[in-house]
Amino acid sequence: MPPSYTEQRQTLVNSLENEYFDLVIIGGGITGAGIALDAETRGLKVALIEQNDFASGTSSKSTKLIHGGLRYLKQFEFGLVREVGRERAILHDLATHLVRPEKMLLPLTKDGSYGKIIASVGLMVYDVLADVEKEDHRRMLSPQETMQLEPLLNVDKIEGGGLYSEYQTDDFRLVIELLKAAQNEGAKVMNYSACQDFIIKAGKIAGVKVHDDILDQEYTLYADYVINAAGPWSDLIRKNQEEVKGKKLHLTKGVHLVVPFQNLPIQQSVYFDVPDGRMMFAIPKKDVTYIGTTDTTFTGDLEDVRTTLEDVHYLLDAVNHYFPTVHLEPKDVISSWAGIRPLIEEEGKSASEISRKDEIFVSEHGLVTIAGGKLTGYRKMAKRAVETILEIRHEQTGKKIPKCKTKKYYLPGNSFKNQKAVKKYKKSLAEENPNTSIADIDYLVDLYGTQCEEILSHAKTSSIIMSEVRFCIEHEWVSHLTDFFIHRTGRLFFDIESVKSNLEVVAEEMSAMLCWSDEQKNAEIEGINREITKATVFE
């Protein structure tokens, strides 16, 4: 008989304890995943640990946009706009199926944040700074053209509009593909493995003590260097080896709501003003529209971040104010997510005013912490973090600093030159799989790219979702129902009914593949039901 899942994990833990690493990374979100790939491709021996599931924190709770940073122009952060804009173009090449073009409408209103001249100049500057391709350059619209594009807007307030280019993604998939790429290069990655403490030798960090949640055992990882990329948990990690003083994290909460598309049938994504002076997104995605986000200081339990009824009213009131015929109510919300942004504390600034720039701290014991930043800028963040380590190593040993190779490192599932190639691929798959719906083909290619062929192959003797389960367990470190339904497929966010209708059969399949006891299986079902409640019940 082949070894069980637990036996395989035990073998991996045993091998980790017997190896010595150049670098251990704490945190399996977008930043940690990016660092793992960057470091491995420069020749470092890397291990990455994550206390929960990969992408379970901030990196699955964003607005799902690889955006060029238009809103940062209001804060005069031109350098940030330039960097994230250029990174957006790079990411579109690296993960073409995952980073998809999206037209964004910026309506201009009499009492809005952007006047006609400021919007026109701002969008022109945005095109230049973000290296937007000519065919995607901004187009300024008359009031009539704006209303024609989006009839749900308040005709009495519209003075015009701007149509510009953005990109939509599935943030959690980007993390998983980065980790798979890093593993393909040789990195050892472990979810459900929490940093308990640091190993200190001669006053310097020499590794980490880890608790494996699945095996319920402790083990140690020895390394020359450790990077703390734990996002909102970064300061808690820092406290294990130093007093956190000077610059520290300012945590803010961002909430998104999902409603049926028919309840908010916008024709394209809209970036619009809300009454308190902030701005918000409304983004259609197949059968739903999602809206967000809030930006409020968070001081609660990081393991229990929730959407409150106050959050719901704030977002719905903003939508109803801007789209007066919609009349959304709390009962229209079918799902939601709430995430925490790890911003760098800046005295005297409100949550929405704090810069999204990343910063790196190096402790006296040698712990390198990177915090702040944005999803779009993850590759540059990773580059800066790895080069901080390599510069320290150069000073200590004289070793050269290898060049970054991730600018042209195509992620798993991507063999596409452009979106036309993606569409052509979808069409060919539909012809080869006549019993699979176009909607399922779209869904699979958008999430898995060319890897979906393995899923479709197994689906010929099973169902799409059962084949997905198998693929995610065998290739993507799925250990729990929540891993599959939330951080691999996003079904809890965008197709919550499919979670409810498939819960029992998926639990049965995972139970067989992972050798769960009946007690474990029941606990797993209770766990995903708690997440459903968390996403749909607001207090």
Side-chain angles (χ1 to χ4, degrees):
M1 288 180 65
S4 69
Y5 171 75
T6 303
E7 290 169 337
Q8 291 177 39
R9 190 172 180 99
Q10 185 67 66
T11 299
L12 180 55
V13 166
N14 293 343
S15 71
L16 287 172
E17 283 206 293
N18 291 320
E19 292 186 57
Y20 193 90
F21 295 92
D22 295 309
L23 174 64
V24 168
I25 302 160
I26 302 168
I30 191 70
T31 307
I35 291 170
L37 180 59
D38 189 310
E40 272 289 344
T41 52
R42 296 199 207 208
L44 298 181
K45 190 174 182 181
V46 175
L48 179 147
I49 56 171
E50 160 59 45
Q51 67 175 348
N52 296 309
D53 188 25
F54 300 126
S56 58
T58 305
S59 296
S60 59
K61 308 300 192 306
S62 75
T63 309
K64 324 287 184 198
L65 289 176
I66 300 294
H67 61 76
L70 174 64
R71 54 184 163 175
Y72 306 137
L73 285 178
K74 289 178 67 178
Q75 299 169 339
F76 303 106
E77 297 201 49
F78 299 113
L80 187 58
V81 175
R82 187 178 185 84
E83 178 170 304
V84 298
R86 290 185 171 183
E87 282 301 300
R88 180 183 67 173
I90 291 170
L91 294 187
H92 179 53
D93 286 339
L94 302 185
T96 307
H97 63 292
L98 262 179
V99 180
R100 303 175 287 273
E102 178 79 19
K103 286 296 183 184
M104 187 75 67
L105 177 64
L106 173 67
L108 305 177
T109 60
K110 297 171 184 176
D111 55 351
S113 299
Y114 293 92
K116 286 184 180 179
I117 295 175
I118 293 175
S120 182
V121 173
L123 287 173
M124 181 179 67
V125 171
Y126 174 78
D127 284 343
V128 173
L129 290 179
D131 277 351
V132 177
E133 294 182 4
K134 190 172 182 180
E135 61 266 28
D136 288 330
H137 277 192
R138 66 94 167 91
R139 182 162 65 93
M140 300 310 295
L141 308 170
S142 68
Q144 293 77 19
E145 289 172 320
T146 304
M147 289 304 302
Q148 189 174 4
L149 278 178
E150 192 43 74
L152 291 177
L153 294 169
N154 188 340
V155 67
D156 295 328
K157 289 190 173 185
I158 295 300
E159 292 190 323
L163 195 65
Y164 66 102
S165 178
E166 290 287 21
Y167 286 84
Q168 194 179 103
T169 192
D170 289 295
D171 46 8
F172 46 90
R173 290 302 314 172
L174 202 54
V175 174
I176 297 303
E177 300 304 351
L178 280 165
L179 288 169
K180 284 157 73 174
Q183 181 174 262
N184 290 342
E185 291 295 327
K188 303 293 176 63
V189 301
M190 297 285 285
N191 53 1
Y192 298 104
S193 297
C195 171
Q196 298 292 294
D197 204 352
F198 292 98
I199 301 165
I200 308 289
K201 291 187 177 181
K204 294 295 180 182
I205 289 175
V208 294
K209 297 177 181 178
V210 184
H211 179 265
D212 187 286
D213 184 60
I214 292 174
L215 299 175
D216 192 22
Q217 74 177 59
E218 308 285 332
Y219 65 96
T220 52
L221 291 175
Y222 290 94
D224 287 331
Y225 307 101
V226 177
I227 290 181
N228 170 19
W233 289 265
S234 292
D235 279 356
L236 298 176
I237 297 293
R238 291 169 70 193
K239 285 179 183 177
N240 282 335
Q241 47 87 58
E242 69 172 357
E243 180 185 352
V244 177
K245 52 188 177 182
K247 288 193 175 181
K248 57 184 179 180
L249 295 186
H250 180 113
L251 304 181
T252 72
K253 185 175 77 167
V255 168
H256 295 78
L257 306 180
V258 182
V259 299
F261 177 75
Q262 63 189 22
N263 291 54
L264 184 56
I266 52 177
Q267 303 306 298
Q268 66 278 300
S269 297
V270 184
Y271 184 38
F272 61 98
D273 289 279
V274 297
D276 66 3
R278 294 183 64 252
M279 296 195 74
M280 188 182 296
F281 293 100
I283 301 173
K285 185 178 172 73
K286 297 187 172 71
D287 297 329
V288 301
T289 301
Y290 66 95
I291 56 177
T293 178
T294 60
D295 201 356
T296 54
T297 295
F298 181 81
T299 58
D301 181 1
L302 285 171
E303 302 298 336
D304 189 28
V305 184
R306 292 176 179 267
T307 301
T308 67
L309 191 57
E310 183 180 359
D311 296 326
V312 172
H313 281 299
Y314 173 81
L315 292 170
L316 296 187
D317 288 348
V319 171
N320 291 335
H321 174 80
Y322 215 81
F323 303 93
T325 61
V326 169
H327 306 304
L328 289 178
E329 300 177 30
K331 64 181 177 62
D332 297 319
V333 179
I334 55 176
S335 189
S336 72
W337 65 87
I340 301 300
R341 306 178 191 89
L343 309 180
I344 310 299
E345 181 78 73
E346 293 184 60
E347 190 173 343
K349 289 192 176 183
S350 69
S352 59
E353 292 174 324
I354 295 174
S355 171
R356 267 51 175 174
K357 289 180 181 177
D358 58 278
E359 294 203 31
I360 293 174
F361 318 115
V362 183
S363 75
E364 290 182 7
H365 294 304
L367 176 67
V368 174
T369 296
I370 183 163
K374 297 291 295 177
L375 176 69
T376 307
Y378 85 82
R379 197 189 66 84
K380 277 293 188 71
M381 288 176 65
K383 182 175 183 286
R384 286 190 280 269
V386 173
E387 288 179 351
T388 298
I389 291 290
L390 293 173
E391 286 165 6
I392 293 171
R393 187 180 72 168
H394 175 72
E395 291 174 2
Q396 293 171 340
T397 67
K399 287 186 178 180
K400 291 183 178 180
I401 298 176
K403 289 185 178 180
C404 177
K405 298 180 180 178
T406 57
K407 189 174 182 179
K408 294 188 180 297
Y409 193 105
Y410 297 96
L411 297 188
N414 179 33
S415 61
F416 309 107
K417 289 184 177 180
N418 49 42
Q419 284 301 306
K420 286 183 180 178
V422 176
K423 290 179 181 177
K424 185 177 179 181
Y425 179 70
K426 287 180 177 179
K427 184 178 179 181
S428 68
L429 280 183
E431 291 170 353
E432 293 166 10
N433 299 273
N435 295 325
T436 304
S437 70
I438 298 297
D440 281 340
I441 294 288
D442 282 344
Y443 163 81
L444 290 172
V445 174
D446 286 351
L447 258 62
Y448 304 97
T450 56
Q451 299 169 108
C452 74
E453 291 179 33
E454 181 175 337
I455 296 172
L456 286 168
S457 174
H458 289 304
K460 290 175 181 176
T461 56
S462 181
S463 64
I464 292 289
I465 196 166
M466 289 297 102
S467 187
E468 262 193 293
V469 169
R470 176 175 174 173
F471 179 86
C472 292
I473 288 175
E474 291 179 348
H475 302 291
E476 298 187 349
W477 311 283
V478 161
S479 304
H480 299 291
L481 287 174
T482 51
D483 302 348
F484 175 73
F485 281 121
I486 304 176
H487 310 126
R488 300 302 179 280
T489 66
R491 287 174 181 267
L492 185 78
F493 302 144
F494 301 117
D495 190 6
I496 197 166
E497 288 305 316
S498 77
V499 180
K500 297 174 183 177
S501 61
N502 288 287
L503 181 52
E504 292 292 338
V505 292
V506 169
E508 196 64 40
E509 179 72 8
M510 287 184 65
S511 180
M513 291 190 71
L514 299 176
C515 303
W516 290 342
S517 65
D518 287 342
E519 184 181 7
Q520 282 176 295
K521 186 178 80 170
N522 291 335
E524 288 287 332
I525 292 172
E526 288 175 11
I528 194 66
N529 278 327
R530 282 195 299 271
E531 292 300 323
I532 292 172
T533 299
K534 197 171 171 181
T536 57
V537 177
F538 316 115
E539 297 176 351

